[in-house]
């Protein structure tokens, strides 16, 4: 009986073994997965790129197929423009409200080296608030048309507050030395040149934090300034826009960030070599442009074109999309040359500069994110991977609709878009941009659809975009 029971128990033992095998196998499989996905910070981006490039290239019939494209905002991502935008805004503010010039000597010191007034404190303060004015422009795109109108309103506000302060808030201490004029240039006298008396009621200029919290929301400083600083009783926006279009063409050309230049140069060189090899093998080139550079207004495209042409190799194929005037069209013709290998197909170009069509009647849909949608939906080849790197978190939030109503399954920060032909998409906030602050980085980190990206990671992604299948 004992032996019979033992035999019966042994008969059921394989069932027990079969139940334990999957659990054991899962444990070992989980360990292996953890090992393969644990990478160092410096190699994370390159590992991500190779994984996606391998999967995309396997389905292509072409021997060489660049299927990764970057949509980059010029402001912040490609170039540090906060200080140049501040200088432009100050010039426009002085033209819009000429009487401000009468009191500038009381809030700005005279630079003997440049033989002009020193606006360092004002530029510093406006640079610290660049993220705020960017948000105002994006949320009210219909009225601002993508121009730095908010920067001009902010410049007017800061200058007037400092004049009314009468020299009490001087450039001393850690905060004051950066965001207030020096004591020798402040209005220490009882009255300014226009007879304005200094305030003795304990008021002071608003701090960077106070303006940041109340510019668009809270105290609605933006809307208040728009009404208060009217021009002859009318909305100041049209006048500001007109002056901006006149003045910005005379401003210095913005410089491209050196690391971005190096990354694009490397990728462009390899792309051109592969294109030539494809042509020699009589294959149809199957490439998307390496980068789309987004600007907020059409008038800025020629300026960005000059910046890129100066920084990138002379043989870089740069195209200005949606040309609206003869000057831009002439620049495109000069850029195309006599090479018959290039045509109107965007795949012929390495870098494309684009913007919303601001010259037409604006609606809420004709904004930057609408341009991004058009690129993803209509201009990219199938099975491409698109990295949208934009310094405006408002634009990135609007672009989340490209993933559809439901949150996609992200792998290595990339998910499938419902627009285009099997397009993989990633929305990234650049942490190095001069118009991005820490609170926005936290918001991006907490958002399931948006990720943060360092400059090193982006450069590694750009330089690793071309592989052989």
């Amino acid at each position: 009986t004992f032996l019979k029971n033992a035999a019966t128990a042994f008969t059921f033992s394989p069932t027990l073994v079969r139940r334990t095998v999957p659990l054991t196998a899962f444990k070992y499989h989980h360990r292996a997965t953890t090992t393969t996905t644990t990478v160092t910070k410096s190699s994370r981006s390159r590992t991500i790129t190779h994984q996606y490039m391998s999967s995309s290239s396997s389905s292509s019939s072409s021997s060489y197929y660049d299927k990764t494209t970057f949509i980059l905002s010029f402001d912040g991502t490609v170039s540090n423009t906060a200080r140049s935008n501040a200088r432009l805004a100050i010039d426009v503010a002085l033209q819009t409200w000429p009487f401000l010039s009468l009191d500038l000597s009381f809030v700005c010191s005279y630079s003997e080296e440049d033989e002009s007034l020193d606006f360092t404190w004002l530029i510093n303060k406006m640079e610290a608030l660049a993220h705020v004015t960017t948000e105002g422009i994006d949320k009210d795109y219909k009225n601002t048309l993508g121009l730095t109108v908010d920067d001009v309103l902010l410049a007017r506000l800061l200058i007037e507050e400092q004049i009314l302060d009468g020299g009490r808030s001087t450039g001393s201490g850690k905060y004051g030395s950066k965001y207030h004029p020096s004591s020798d240039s402040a209005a220490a006298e009882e009255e300014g040149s226009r007879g304005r008396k200094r305030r003795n009621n304990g008021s002071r200029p608003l701090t960077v934090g106070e303006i940041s919290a109340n510019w668009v929301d809270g105290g609605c400083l933006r809307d208040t300034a728009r009404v208060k600083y009217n021009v002859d009783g009318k909305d100041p926006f049209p006048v500001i826009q007109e002056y901006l279009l006149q003045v910005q063409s005379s401003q210095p050309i913005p410089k491209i960030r050196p690391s971005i230049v190096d990354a694009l140069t490397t990728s462009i060189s390899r792309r051109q070599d592969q294109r030539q090899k494809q042509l020699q093998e009589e294959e149809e080139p199957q490439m998307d442009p390496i980068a789309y550079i987004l600007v907020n207004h059409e008038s800025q495209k020629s300026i960005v074109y000059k910046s890129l042409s100066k920084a990138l190799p002379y043989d870089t194929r740069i195209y200005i999309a949606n040309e609206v005037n003869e000057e831009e069209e002439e620049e495109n013709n000069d850029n195309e040359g006599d090479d018959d290998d290039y045509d109107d197909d965007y795949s012929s170009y390495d870098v494309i500069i684009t913007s919303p069509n601001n010259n037409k009647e604006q609606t809420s849909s004709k904004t930057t994110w609408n341009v991004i949608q058009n690129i993803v939906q209509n201009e990219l080849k199938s099975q491409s991977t698109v990295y949208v790197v934009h310094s405006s978190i408002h634009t990135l939030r609007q672009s989340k609709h490209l993933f559809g109503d439901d949150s996609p399954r992200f792998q290595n920060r990339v998910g499938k878009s419902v627009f285009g032909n099997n397009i993989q998409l990633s929305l990234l906030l650049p942490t190095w941009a001069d118009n991005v602050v820490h609170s926005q980085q936290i918001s991006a980190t907490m958002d399931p659809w948006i990720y943060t990206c360092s400059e090193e990671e982006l450069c590694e992604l750009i330089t690793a975009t071309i592989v052989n299948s």
Side-chain angles (χ1 to χ4, degrees):
T1 302
F2 173 78
L3 292 176
K4 184 176 180 180
N5 292 337
T8 303
F10 180 79
T11 303
F12 288 95
S13 61
T15 304
L16 298 177
V17 172
R18 284 196 298 270
R19 289 180 180 177
T20 58
V21 166
L23 179 61
T24 305
F26 172 78
K27 289 181 179 179
Y28 282 102
H29 174 73
H30 179 70
R31 290 177 182 176
T33 303
T34 304
T35 302
T36 55
T37 57
T38 302
V39 295
T40 61
K41 182 178 180 181
S42 61
S43 62
R44 185 184 300 123
S45 298
R46 193 173 298 278
T47 303
I48 292 171
T49 303
H50 282 283
Q51 289 174 351
Y52 276 92
M53 286 287 86
S54 299
S55 62
S56 299
S57 301
S58 60
S59 59
S60 174
S61 59
S62 176
S63 300
Y64 304 98
Y65 194 169
D66 179 3
K67 289 194 172 185
T68 301
T69 297
F70 297 86
I71 303 177
L72 311 174
S73 64
F74 184 78
D75 289 338
T77 303
V78 178
S79 175
N80 289 337
T81 57
R83 294 189 74 85
S84 60
N85 288 340
R87 294 188 184 96
L88 172 63
I90 294 171
D91 291 343
V92 173
L94 296 179
Q95 292 192 34
T96 307
W97 302 281
F99 56 84
L100 289 177
S101 303
L102 300 176
D103 289 330
L104 284 179
S105 59
F106 291 91
V107 295
C108 297
S109 60
Y110 183 78
S111 174
E112 296 181 356
E113 181 180 353
D114 299 332
E115 296 183 353
S116 61
L117 293 175
D118 185 5
F119 292 96
T120 301
W121 71 269
L122 181 56
I123 294 175
N124 289 340
K125 202 165 187 177
M126 293 185 65
E127 184 180 17
L129 291 165
H131 66 286
V132 178
T133 54
T134 299
E135 182 180 5
I137 292 170
D138 291 339
K139 285 188 175 181
D140 192 19
Y141 205 99
K142 182 178 180 181
N143 290 314
T144 64
L145 303 182
L147 293 168
T148 55
V149 176
D150 278 35
D151 287 316
V152 180
L153 285 180
L154 178 62
R156 166 69 195 270
L157 173 67
L158 297 179
I159 293 174
E160 183 172 80
E161 281 208 318
Q162 199 66 48
I163 292 174
L164 294 176
D165 184 65
R168 290 182 301 168
S169 302
T170 58
S172 60
K174 183 177 181 180
Y175 180 89
S177 60
K178 187 174 183 179
Y179 299 129
H180 290 294
S182 58
S183 57
D184 59 343
S185 63
E189 294 84 354
E190 287 293 327
E191 297 182 0
S193 60
R194 298 179 63 247
R196 294 183 179 178
K197 295 183 179 181
R198 52 185 297 182
R199 298 181 293 188
N200 296 314
N201 57 1
S203 61
R204 54 164 177 75
L206 295 172
T207 65
V208 170
E210 290 167 344
I211 296 176
S212 178
N214 294 280
W215 183 252
V216 177
D217 303 317
C220 298
L221 291 175
R222 178 183 187 271
D223 296 334
T224 303
R226 183 176 180 180
V227 175
K228 180 180 179 181
Y229 302 138
N230 60 81
V231 179
D232 297 329
K234 298 180 181 179
D235 184 4
F237 273 21
V239 179
I240 293 174
Q241 291 167 1
E242 182 179 353
Y243 281 127
L244 279 170
L245 294 175
Q246 294 176 6
V247 176
Q248 68 180 1
S249 60
S250 61
Q251 297 295 306
I253 298 176
K255 294 183 179 180
I256 311 297
R257 296 184 64 86
S259 57
I260 302 296
V261 172
D262 293 341
L264 287 176
T265 299
T266 301
S267 186
I268 289 171
S269 176
R270 296 166 62 183
R271 182 183 189 274
Q272 291 177 344
D273 291 342
Q274 291 194 0
R275 178 181 174 82
Q276 291 299 322
K277 188 169 185 178
Q278 284 180 301
L279 294 174
Q280 291 175 2
E281 295 175 356
E282 297 183 353
E283 295 184 3
E284 183 67 24
Q286 297 291 323
M287 294 182 178
D288 289 323
I290 292 176
Y292 287 82
I293 307 298
L294 294 181
V295 295
N296 292 324
H297 194 271
E298 289 189 335
S299 62
Q300 301 166 348
K301 291 190 292 187
S302 59
I303 300 174
V304 174
Y305 174 82
K306 294 176 182 177
S307 297
L308 293 173
S309 301
K310 186 176 181 180
L312 296 176
Y314 71 94
D315 56 346
T316 302
R317 309 294 297 186
I318 304 175
Y319 181 77
I320 302 179
N322 302 323
E323 47 278 73
V324 295
N325 56 54
E326 295 179 358
E327 180 181 356
E328 291 179 354
E329 185 175 1
E330 182 179 353
E331 287 177 340
N332 279 328
N333 294 335
D334 292 341
N335 188 40
E336 289 178 6
D338 299 324
D339 192 346
D340 295 335
D341 294 335
Y342 294 90
D343 50 36
D344 293 335
D345 185 2
Y346 279 0
S347 64
S348 304
Y349 299 93
D350 304 311
V351 178
I352 295 177
I353 304 171
T354 186
S355 73
N357 193 352
N358 315 102
N359 283 4
K360 295 182 179 180
E361 184 179 354
Q362 289 294 310
T363 63
S364 58
S365 63
K366 294 179 180 177
T367 56
T368 303
W369 67 264
N370 189 252
V371 176
I372 296 174
Q373 174 182 321
N374 180 66
I375 294 173
V376 173
Q377 184 173 2
N378 301 321
E379 297 182 9
L380 298 180
K381 295 178 172 58
S382 63
Q383 300 180 351
S384 296
T385 301
V386 185
Y387 292 91
V388 180
V389 188
H390 206 287
S391 59
S392 170
I393 192 170
H394 180 72
T395 297
L396 293 177
R397 286 169 178 166
Q398 288 182 314
S399 301
K400 293 192 297 185
H401 82 286
L402 296 174
F403 291 114
D405 296 332
D406 300 326
S407 177
R409 293 183 179 181
F410 286 93
Q411 183 177 0
N412 297 321
R413 301 184 290 186
V414 178
K416 185 176 180 180
S417 172
V418 297
F419 290 86
N421 188 357
N422 196 19
I423 300 295
Q424 299 294 323
L425 181 67
S426 180
L427 302 179
L428 303 175
L429 180 73
T431 57
W432 68 90
D434 56 357
N435 56 351
V436 172
V437 293
H438 185 63
S439 59
Q440 293 176 326
Q441 297 180 30
I442 295 176
S443 298
T445 302
M446 299 300 293
D447 195 307
W449 288 268
I450 304 174
Y451 294 84
T452 59
C453 176
S454 69
E455 188 173 12
E456 179 186 6
E457 289 173 330
L458 175 62
C459 292
E460 288 185 347
L461 285 169
I462 294 175
T463 55
T465 55
I466 298 181
V467 296
N468 295 343
S469 62

